[in-house]
Amino acid sequence: MKNIQWFYFFLILLVSTACTDVIDLETEAGETQLVIDAWVTDESKIQTIKLSLTQPYFDRGGIVPAKGATVILFSEDSIPYPFIDLKNDGNYVWQPSVVGEKILEVGKQYALYVKYGAEEYFSISRVNRVPPIDSINYFKQKYPVAPTDLRQEGYQVDFYARDPLGQGDCYWVRAYRNDTLFDKPSQILTVYDASFSPGGSADGLMFILPIRAGASPDLYNANDKVKVELYSIPPEAFYFLQLVRTESTNGGIFATVPSNIPTNIQPLDQNNKKQVLGFFAVSAVSSIETVVDGSKAIPKPSGR
């Protein structure tokens, strides 16, 4: 019996010490690639296009900016809008010169041109229509169990908008609480017509309830500021954002091998094999904001 006890003692000791071993992985550093994050809107405000460089997978350093690039947005009327890296930090900006000035017009196409070193890249995107956000309502909500990292009690906020007639309109819903964007990958909310995907038979309808509730990725407190933005996006951006959400939340025992998300930015020279990462899109934006006032809350709808 004593021999058996000693056997189990050494087995436990072996397992516990093995779990503390540190394994250093030797991995080859892949080729550095340019990353272009270019999302431009029709708002009269500073527009920013971010350029950075990829890093090795296990590198814990900060983002490496891509400096010294030439970045120009061209309208279909051949009007150039240069973006300048004013702070030498990889953030290339365009600023309105007068109040109300903006780059984009609904219905027009725009081309992005980027030159970094000896390499030149381009992409084309179209500004689609966006419906106005009609209103915001909110009601008192308390969940029976506290959600992970979210509030258990507060105000559920819904927004209301109607998709215009004509199939194929795509949108991106963005919600803010006290001027802070809900920006977790799992909170990316894309809309196709008034539903989640093509074939939903929702063309021309009020956005369905789960989308209207997208104004509340988390509950709000009284006196919290609420802001909801609705971006019009081209269909390729709709699928790009879906892939971003899928890859960014890819985990657990059923996780798939990570992969780069396809880009819509191409080398100007078709013989150039050096690809870039990132995406270019242009959007018209409608928005609405309010402050949560408990005295103006509606009665909690049945089933909510």
Side-chain angles (χ1 to χ4, degrees):
M1 180 64 70
K2 290 184 178 179
N3 290 337
I4 294 176
Q5 290 175 336
W6 278 107
F7 170 77
Y8 280 113
F9 172 77
F10 282 113
L11 180 61
I12 294 171
L13 181 63
L14 177 64
V15 171
S16 62
T17 55
C19 291
T20 60
D21 289 344
V22 177
I23 300 176
D24 292 323
L25 297 177
E26 294 293 336
T27 59
E28 294 184 6
E31 181 184 11
T32 298
Q33 290 180 279
L34 178 65
V35 182
I36 301 174
D37 178 8
W39 210 297
V40 181
T41 72
D42 70 342
E43 299 165 287
S44 179
K45 67 178 187 180
I46 294 176
Q47 302 290 329
T48 304
I49 294 176
K50 300 179 180 180
L51 270 59
S52 60
L53 300 173
T54 58
Q55 299 169 260
Y57 185 80
F58 293 101
D59 191 333
R60 296 182 180 272
I63 295 175
V64 178
K67 306 175 184 179
T70 299
V71 180
I72 305 174
L73 190 70
F74 290 93
S75 71
E76 66 179 33
D77 306 315
S78 300
I79 300 174
Y81 298 93
F83 282 64
I84 310 299
D85 188 0
L86 296 176
K87 298 182 180 180
N88 199 33
D89 59 359
N91 292 319
Y92 296 78
V93 302
W94 172 86
Q95 301 183 74
S97 58
V98 295
V99 176
E101 183 184 13
K102 55 185 181 180
I103 297 177
L104 307 182
E105 290 185 41
V106 173
K108 288 190 175 182
Q109 285 189 326
Y110 293 81
L112 173 68
Y113 169 81
V114 174
K115 182 178 182 182
Y116 183 68
E119 312 296 337
E120 297 176 288
Y121 302 94
F122 81 100
S123 184
I124 296 174
S125 185
R126 178 185 177 88
V127 185
N128 292 330
R129 60 187 178 176
V130 65
I133 299 177
D134 298 327
S135 60
I136 285 180
N137 281 333
Y138 43 88
F139 58 88
K140 192 72 174 179
Q141 177 70 281
K142 183 176 182 179
Y143 300 121
V145 179
T148 303
D149 299 326
L150 299 176
R151 296 175 178 175
Q152 183 178 5
E153 186 175 3
Y155 290 90
Q156 163 71 44
V157 177
D158 296 343
F159 79 97
Y160 296 83
R162 180 177 293 275
D163 174 61
L165 285 173
Q167 294 185 1
D169 292 288
C170 299
Y171 315 100
W172 179 13
V173 179
R174 294 158 54 92
Y176 299 76
R177 183 173 58 197
N178 298 324
D179 297 321
T180 299
L181 175 66
F182 289 100
D183 60 357
K184 293 180 180 178
S186 59
Q187 295 167 340
I188 294 175
L189 178 57
T190 51
V191 185
Y192 197 103
D193 288 329
S195 186
F196 284 114
S197 59
S201 300
D203 177 47
L205 302 180
M206 183 72 71
F207 285 7
I208 62 174
L209 177 58
I211 292 172
R212 300 200 304 268
S216 274
D218 192 9
L219 299 178
Y220 296 78
N221 289 331
N223 300 317
D224 277 348
K225 180 181 177 182
V226 181
K227 182 179 180 181
V228 181
E229 295 177 332
L230 191 60
Y231 279 39
S232 68
I233 57 176
E236 60 270 21
F238 171 85
Y239 293 110
F240 173 81
L241 288 171
Q242 287 194 322
L243 287 172
V244 169
R245 182 178 56 209
T246 299
E247 285 293 331
S248 300
T249 56
N250 179 21
I253 60 174
F254 299 110
T256 58
V257 177
S259 61
N260 287 333
I261 299 172
T263 179
N264 66 343
I265 304 171
Q266 305 297 325
L268 193 60
D269 181 358
Q270 295 184 354
N271 295 319
N272 181 6
K273 302 302 181 183
K274 193 169 185 178
Q275 301 295 316
V276 297
L277 301 175
F279 202 82
F280 167 61
V282 289
S283 296
V285 181
S286 62
S287 65
I288 192 171
E289 59 183 67
T290 189
V291 175
V292 175
D293 181 349
S295 66
K296 297 180 180 179
I298 65 172
K300 182 177 179 178
S302 60
R304 301 289 298 275

